[in-house]
Amino acid sequence: MRFVTLIVLVWLIIGAFASYQRGDFESAPENCAGAGTIALTVVAGPLNYFGVNPEVTDCNVTVPQPSE
């Protein structure tokens, strides 16, 4: 179990470093799409270095309104 935890931790650290290298933390828009792009880049991890370029362009989410 420790080995799997270590692999996942290294995977996410590599993803965070890739997001930092892409400049997502400085230049990403401060909205849902910017946060989604950063999250996807971190989760993609080392795949970023093999051409995966995850981006979230739109976050139009319609949430139900509470009833009266």
Side-chain angles (χ1 to χ4, degrees):
M1 188 66 182
R2 290 183 193 170
F3 182 70
V4 173
T5 303
L6 180 65
I7 295 296
V8 169
L9 185 63
V10 169
W11 182 276
L12 294 175
I13 289 171
I14 292 171
F17 186 68
S19 186
Y20 170 75
Q21 282 184 324
R22 289 176 46 177
D24 287 344
F25 295 116
E26 292 91 23
S27 64
E30 295 179 10
N31 59 17
C32 177
T37 298
I38 291 171
L40 280 176
T41 302
V42 171
V43 170
L47 297 176
N48 289 295
Y49 296 106
F50 293 106
V52 175
N53 188 16
E55 288 185 12
V56 177
T57 57
D58 189 20
C59 290
N60 265 344
V61 179
T62 54
V63 293
Q65 299 298 317
S67 60
E68 292 181 15

